[in-house]
Amino acid sequence: MEKCINVIAGRPGAGKTLWACREAARAAEDVNNTVIYIGHQEEFDRVLRLSSHHENIFFAKPVGATNAIQMATERALATKNSGEDVEAQNNRKIVYLFYDQCRYDMFPGRREALEAAANAGVIVYVMCQVYAQIDKNDLNWLMQKCNCFVVSKGRAPRPATEEEIKEKYCG
């Protein structure tokens, strides 16, 4: 089974949001891509300042995350075509979903919605302080469905070690 959700954990102030804003702006530079950013208005404003293409960037506050995830899924499914040749698949529009500030917002069904989006072809990034904020203490789900990364002191995310996943960044 392919891991489909990228979870980036780090302490407060480690640079998760800054990384997400930069990556969202970078993804938006390709006018074929769609970028959906779930978080706070200040961070979304940063994404807009960093990007020269605003027509393909969408924003949702955490209270609107369900609708934003659904929009990402629908856009990804609309671009899929199993009959495409390799070149068409390589040039297909990409949908990115950046879900920042998820710590109070991982309600029942939200993980499944993120999985559905990823399975539809959305590139999903979820930022959290500890993995328990997304896995709800279901380490098996985290290990099976997610690519786990750690960010620290403004460095780019790196793959988390099994020890970091189980101890340092869990609960």
Side-chain angles (χ1 to χ4, degrees):
M1 176 179 290
E2 184 177 330
K3 295 181 179 186
C4 57
I5 299 171
N6 300 293
V7 181
I8 301 169
R11 304 276 183 239
K16 300 176 301 290
T17 296
L18 182 59
W19 177 87
C21 290
R22 287 179 179 158
E23 287 301 307
R26 186 174 299 137
E29 288 304 306
D30 183 336
V31 295
N32 290 316
N33 294 341
T34 297
V35 174
I36 299 169
Y37 190 94
I38 302 168
H40 295 299
Q41 185 68 50
E42 297 81 19
E43 284 79 29
F44 182 67
D45 291 344
R46 182 184 297 157
V47 173
L48 294 177
R49 284 192 306 273
L50 292 170
S51 175
S52 60
H53 299 284
H54 298 166
E55 62 277 357
N56 56 346
I57 306 174
F58 300 91
F59 170 69
K61 292 181 179 179
V63 296
T66 299
N67 291 337
I69 295 167
Q70 183 177 358
M71 180 176 119
T73 303
E74 290 170 358
R75 284 178 175 257
L77 288 173
T79 65
K80 268 190 169 182
N81 183 350
S82 59
E84 292 178 335
D85 62 18
V86 173
E87 183 178 346
Q89 288 178 7
N90 289 337
N91 293 322
R92 184 179 338 127
K93 295 178 181 186
I94 300 173
V95 179
Y96 293 87
L97 177 70
F98 292 87
Y99 192 171
D100 199 6
Q101 308 296 332
C102 75
R103 65 183 167 270
Y104 305 115
D105 204 37
M106 206 48 64
F107 303 117
R110 186 67 47 88
R111 288 187 330 186
E112 291 76 12
L114 290 169
E115 277 184 64
N119 289 334
V122 177
I123 298 176
V124 177
Y125 293 100
V126 178
M127 278 54 69
C128 59
Q129 291 177 7
V130 293
Y131 294 116
Q133 292 171 335
I134 186 173
D135 74 13
K136 297 298 183 191
N137 297 312
D138 182 357
L139 192 58
N140 289 330
W141 178 86
L142 185 74
M143 300 294 275
Q144 291 173 3
K145 302 287 183 174
C146 301
N147 297 304
C148 298
F149 298 90
V150 174
V151 82
S152 60
K153 299 182 182 169
R155 296 184 182 117
R158 62 167 174 76
T161 66
E162 193 169 326
E163 179 181 296
E164 287 172 319
I165 294 168
K166 290 182 178 177
E167 296 172 19
K168 188 175 179 183
Y169 289 95
C170 279

